[in-house]
Amino acid sequence: MYLAESRAAKAPAAAPGKSPGRGGAAVPGTVLALGAVSLITDISSEMVTAVLPLYVVTGLGLSPLGFGVLDGINNGVGSLVRLLGGHFADRGGRGHKTVAALGYGLSALCKPLLLLVHSITLIGGVLAVDRTGKGLRTAPRDAMISLATAPEHRGRAFGVHRAMDTTGALLGPLLAFALLRLTVDGYDAVFTVSGCIAVIGVLVLLLFVPTPAAAPRSEEPRTAPPKLTESLALLKLPALRRLTLCAMLLGLTTVSDSFLYLLLQRQLDLPTRMFPLLPLGTAAAFLLLAYPLGVVADRIGRRTLFLLGHAVLLLAYTAVLLSTGSGAAVAVGVLLLHGLFYAATDGVLAAAAADVTPADQVGAGLALVGTGQALARFACSLLFGAAWSVWGGHTTLAVTAAAMTAGAVTAGFVLRTATPTGTAGAAK
Amino acid sequence: MNRAHRLLILLVAVLLLGGVGTGAVLYAADRSGKKDQEQPGGPAVRPGTVTLEASSGRELVFRNMAWGPHRDEVVSVPAGQPDGPRTASGVKCLRFHAAAGYGICLQAVHHGALEDSYRAVVLDSKLHELHGYPAVGIPTRDRVSPSGHHVAWTVFVSGDSYGGTDFSTRTAIADTRDWHVDDNLETYAIVKDGRPYRASDVNVWGVTFSAADDNLFYATVATGGRTYLVRGDIAGRTLTTLHENVECPSLSPDGTKIAYKRRVPGLPSDAQWRLYVLDLRTMTETATAEQRQIDDQTVWADGSTLVYALPGDFGADLWTVPADGSGSAQVLLKAGLAPAYLG
């Protein structure tokens, strides 16, 4: 069914005419189960993330600045691991679930390990393993979501998943601080509870996420699983290549969250105590808008919404650039636009990537697009930081906004030409 | 395996893991109760009056880390008898420093919301609050200027909780005469190697004030992966780099030397910081006899002795070492942090 439909629905643009308003059955049980796994896992991991600085500084008496160095390395490693995760997931029908379970399991193991390590280096090492687990599981998980969903409903399926994921991310810190209050700085209790929750996440995955049926073959049944070179050869598919290039092009001008919050705070002269609240604003908007925008993506086309999402981000940049003095309303508006941007692009890009990838290589295809985007954003952070030193934050953001406008126009052109014939099967 | 079986397995697992989690929480909560009981062999701590005016001889005030009802309170001991009975003030601080009858106390505030917030509180000589400022992150350093006219504090900010591991610092200086506060020293103009310098990754921490010039301070500036000793000018709002590879400077009482931690290449990355002293006139560095990793802003006990915290059985102990590189490190007192000498 997946094969037939993914071929039939040549482009998401075909969706609008179909069954508007019948969204109820559009989200399969597999997606809800994977959403539950992500929700539970994110509670667990955000519990740790939220208390780690406090633990390092007040619990261990170390200074956490050393983490910054490790972070850059982790970003690079995480991207490469994601490619491998996507590739191995495509080896045989059970691959997606197995690799995802490995990824979730690896991260679950890290929580009790935190009880044993007490130096910045070792804690950094455990975090790196945790990131590796995250890198491994991302592509197979998204592949399972797209394989389990009828192509015309993939946008909303990813919307549901991202909304559940973000819910977990918001609940985790609350639970962690409640536990710290209850136990008076019982960081070991937080890590233990986080580990238990992570194990439940893995169990829900193993018990309630169905093993995807053997991945449908492109033409005739193949005896050997795809090779790594074949995963990279996916870039020969014009539609996937165009999508990856556009995601990278736009990723190169997507300012990292931290930089955007810093600019917002300085530009609006926000009280510094509000600083930790800014990411929550983005997350809340993302959470509320992910599903509705997923539905919109299914109607107007994922690539169109992906581009519109970047237009929304441009609006947010413009609002930051033009704002002066104190204005809580502007801050709320920018955070809303920022969350809207994520809701219009994050799951939507995965849905768009699944549209143009052969079903038996969907793990690798999603990983390619995701990794390309992540590396481009990382490069943007480095460039943005360097440019800031020379020009200052305001000018750098203005230049970035101009570059993004050019990138979005180019991407609009490139993706438009891709639409008519850009199906996965044609190039295989 | 049908649905009922799977649900049963999940239920059993949730019960088991829930038991483990509950056990861990109860164990930790019980242990926190023990922290309110004095430990045998620990220092005697008695409630009393702590003042920041040294009326009866030189005193050492610090945060008491010993378990018992006065854990985390500011306590005082006679400077000549550091392991003697401690007088507890009833004021709790995560970090503390005092000079000239003023104290700076960085506190955690447990209010209605689940998440803690922090405050920087300026205290008078009777440890009553004069003025409080919100602090935007986890407290790490603080200082009162020898004149008492300025206080400074540094917190760790994790700007983006979803990004995970990226940290930065925020340092503020407040004037105790008009309560004006510069809440982010990163807005000061930086002069690096004689030229104006701007970068997005600048972090400032660890202010230490001059006794001779009320406008002068020293601090750490980190940018581009390096740390610098900077000379700061409060009125001019400038930071000028003087020396590289310096963190958490501490100016000697006569203003001629600076003790700091320095990253020593070749050591394991989790034990790189060693305690050094820089002579500001000759710009020569001297390693102290302390061979362990230091992660504290030291305090000068007098013109020739440094005091600093190292991890101990109850969080932290205070140690001393001569500033001129001679001698060896000695325990000053157990279960204490953030010391200041008065008088």
Side-chain angles (χ1 to χ4, degrees):
Chain A
M1 155 184 148
Y2 310 124
L3 175 66
E5 293 205 1
S6 75
R7 290 294 144 72
K10 288 190 189 296
K18 290 190 181 178
S19 59
R22 276 200 297 123
V27 178
T30 300
V31 174
L32 293 176
L34 282 168
V37 173
S38 286
L39 191 154
I40 295 167
T41 303
D42 258 38
I43 291 180
S44 160
S45 60
E46 290 299 329
M47 280 177 77
V48 170
T49 308
V51 303
L52 207 58
L54 204 60
Y55 171 62
V56 166
V57 179
T58 67
L60 297 179
L62 308 171
S63 64
L65 279 173
F67 276 172
V69 185
L70 296 162
D71 208 36
I73 303 165
N74 287 350
N75 277 325
V77 173
S79 303
L80 295 177
V81 170
R82 194 198 291 206
L83 278 182
L84 279 181
H87 166 69
F88 285 121
D90 292 332
R91 298 175 149 238
R94 310 181 67 86
H96 293 115
K97 193 173 161 183
T98 309
V99 176
L102 262 178
Y104 281 108
L106 207 55
S107 292
L109 263 181
C110 287
K111 274 74 191 187
L113 276 184
L114 282 174
L115 293 170
L116 306 175
V117 298
H118 302 288
S119 73
I120 283 280
T121 318
L122 289 176
I123 292 172
V126 171
L127 289 182
V129 176
D130 188 80
R131 293 273 179 107
T132 305
K134 194 176 168 64
L136 269 182
R137 71 195 180 226
T138 303
R141 182 201 62 206
D142 282 356
M144 283 192 280
I145 293 172
S146 62
L147 289 175
T149 312
E152 66 269 26
H153 291 145
R154 275 181 192 150
R156 70 191 69 181
F158 278 106
V160 165
H161 175 266
R162 298 302 194 260
M164 293 178 83
D165 188 89
T166 310
T167 305
L170 286 170
L171 288 177
L174 288 179
L175 178 58
F177 284 109
L179 287 181
L180 275 190
R181 182 62 50 79
L182 205 65
T183 59
V184 190
D185 300 341
Y187 296 97
D188 50 347
V190 174
F191 297 150
T192 308
V193 171
S194 166
C196 291
I197 293 176
V199 172
I200 292 173
V202 177
L203 277 175
V204 171
L205 174 77
L206 291 174
L207 292 172
F208 294 98
V209 175
T211 307
R217 301 298 176 201
S218 304
E219 273 152 17
E220 71 269 12
R222 223 188 328 201
T223 44
K227 295 189 187 116
L228 192 55
T229 46
E230 284 181 77
S231 298
L232 291 172
L234 278 172
L235 284 177
K236 286 184 185 157
L237 300 175
L240 186 62
R241 185 173 66 232
R242 288 189 186 114
L243 188 66
T244 308
L245 282 177
C246 289
M248 291 183 76
L249 192 63
L250 292 166
L252 271 176
T253 48
T254 303
V255 176
S256 79
D257 292 2
S258 335
F259 274 131
L260 191 69
Y261 298 141
L262 200 59
L263 278 165
L264 186 64
Q265 191 252 324
R266 290 192 180 176
Q267 201 69 21
L268 289 176
D269 209 14
L270 295 177
T272 36
R273 67 173 176 280
M274 281 182 63
F275 200 65
L277 299 179
L278 301 182
L280 297 184
T282 299
F286 181 18
L287 161 65
L288 293 174
L289 295 168
Y291 178 72
L293 283 184
V295 175
V296 171
D298 289 339
R299 294 199 183 168
I300 68 168
R302 284 126 202 175
R303 284 173 279 191
T304 309
L305 187 66
F306 183 70
L307 288 173
L308 284 176
H310 285 83
V312 167
L313 187 61
L314 265 175
L315 267 182
Y317 289 175
T318 313
V320 173
L321 285 169
L322 297 182
S323 62
T324 45
S326 55
V330 179
V332 171
V334 169
L335 295 180
L336 190 67
L337 290 173
H338 196 223
L340 187 63
F341 157 71
Y342 274 116
T345 57
D346 195 64
V348 172
L349 178 64
D355 289 337
V356 294
T357 312
D360 64 342
Q361 285 186 282
V362 72
L366 287 170
L368 265 181
V369 178
T371 298
Q373 188 189 41
L375 288 179
R377 284 186 177 173
F378 184 50
C380 176
S381 282
L382 297 179
L383 289 171
F384 197 91
W388 184 318
S389 311
V390 184
W391 298 328
H394 191 269
T395 311
T396 304
L397 184 64
V399 170
T400 309
M404 175 171 270
T405 310
V409 170
T410 312
F413 182 73
V414 170
L415 290 180
R416 185 170 298 264
T417 58
T419 310
T421 54
T423 51
K428 193 67 195 175
Chain B
M1 200 163 33
N2 64 29
R3 195 176 172 79
H5 283 140
R6 290 191 299 233
L7 277 172
L8 187 69
I9 293 175
L10 184 69
L11 186 69
V12 171
V14 167
L15 285 176
L16 275 175
L17 292 164
V20 172
T22 310
V25 172
L26 288 177
Y27 173 77
D30 178 54
R31 184 191 52 203
S32 81
K34 284 205 187 95
K35 286 183 180 174
D36 288 337
Q37 294 158 24
E38 270 184 48
Q39 298 301 296
V45 190
R46 299 288 167 262
T49 308
V50 174
T51 67
L52 301 181
E53 310 272 21
S55 46
S56 53
R58 195 167 149 83
E59 288 196 322
L60 181 60
V61 285
F62 55 97
R63 170 183 163 191
N64 172 43
M65 304 287 282
W67 287 6
H70 303 291
R71 190 166 190 269
D72 298 331
E73 288 180 19
V74 171
V75 295
S76 70
V77 292
Q81 205 192 337
D83 55 354
R86 301 175 178 185
T87 307
S89 64
V91 177
K92 289 195 177 193
C93 302
L94 294 169
R95 299 289 304 199
F96 177 79
H97 190 253
Y102 287 92
I104 176 81
C105 168
L106 303 182
Q107 298 178 322
V109 187
H110 308 285
H111 41 62
L114 282 168
E115 201 161 340
D116 285 355
S117 63
Y118 302 94
R119 289 203 326 145
V121 179
V122 182
L123 304 171
D124 69 9
S125 62
K126 295 184 165 60
L127 296 182
H128 293 141
E129 178 174 340
L130 285 171
H131 204 88
Y133 300 90
V136 291
I138 304 159
T140 169
R141 306 283 179 245
D142 59 1
R143 279 293 187 270
V144 180
S145 72
S147 67
H149 292 162
H150 295 109
V151 294
W153 63 90
T154 301
V155 297
F156 281 113
V157 183
S158 77
D160 171 11
S161 65
Y162 295 87
T165 54
D166 226 358
F167 291 86
S168 59
T169 58
R170 280 291 168 85
T171 296
I173 292 183
D175 193 314
T176 58
R177 292 163 293 187
D178 59 7
W179 304 119
H180 172 79
V181 62
D182 259 329
D183 72 356
N184 187 2
L185 291 200
E186 287 164 30
T187 59
Y188 279 29
I190 297 176
V191 180
K192 181 166 162 271
D193 306 325
R195 311 168 79 174
Y197 178 82
R198 272 201 301 186
S200 59
D201 68 346
V202 166
N203 279 301
V204 184
W205 70 90
V207 166
T208 180
F209 291 101
S210 162
D213 180 346
D214 217 15
N215 208 33
L216 171 70
F217 66 90
Y218 295 87
T220 317
V221 160
T223 180
R226 296 166 192 267
T227 57
Y228 300 88
L229 174 68
V230 293
R231 188 179 59 226
D233 180 328
I234 295 172
R237 296 175 59 83
T238 56
L239 301 168
T240 308
T241 61
L242 297 179
H243 198 63
E244 216 186 301
N245 197 0
V246 173
E247 293 183 45
C248 301
S250 178
L251 189 65
S252 65
D254 65 0
T256 61
K257 292 189 281 293
I258 286 184
Y260 56 92
K261 57 187 182 120
R262 175 180 187 271
R263 215 183 272 260
V264 180
L267 295 177
S269 62
D270 60 335
Q272 283 185 319
W273 287 294
R274 292 293 152 85
L275 190 53
Y276 278 71
V277 174
L278 176 74
D279 187 314
L280 282 170
R281 288 166 301 194
T282 62
M283 295 304 272
T284 50
E285 286 180 321
T286 309
T288 65
E290 174 57 80
Q291 292 300 306
R292 289 165 294 181
Q293 147 122 338
I294 297 294
D295 191 358
D296 193 18
Q297 187 173 19
T298 57
V299 159
W300 291 75
D302 49 46
S304 59
T305 312
L306 303 174
V307 180
Y308 48 90
L310 278 171
D313 292 341
F314 299 99
D317 301 327
L318 294 179
W319 290 72
T320 66
V321 74
D324 62 3
S326 67
S328 63
Q330 310 278 344
V331 177
L332 178 69
L333 57 86
K334 294 276 193 186
L337 186 69
Y341 282 92
L342 298 175

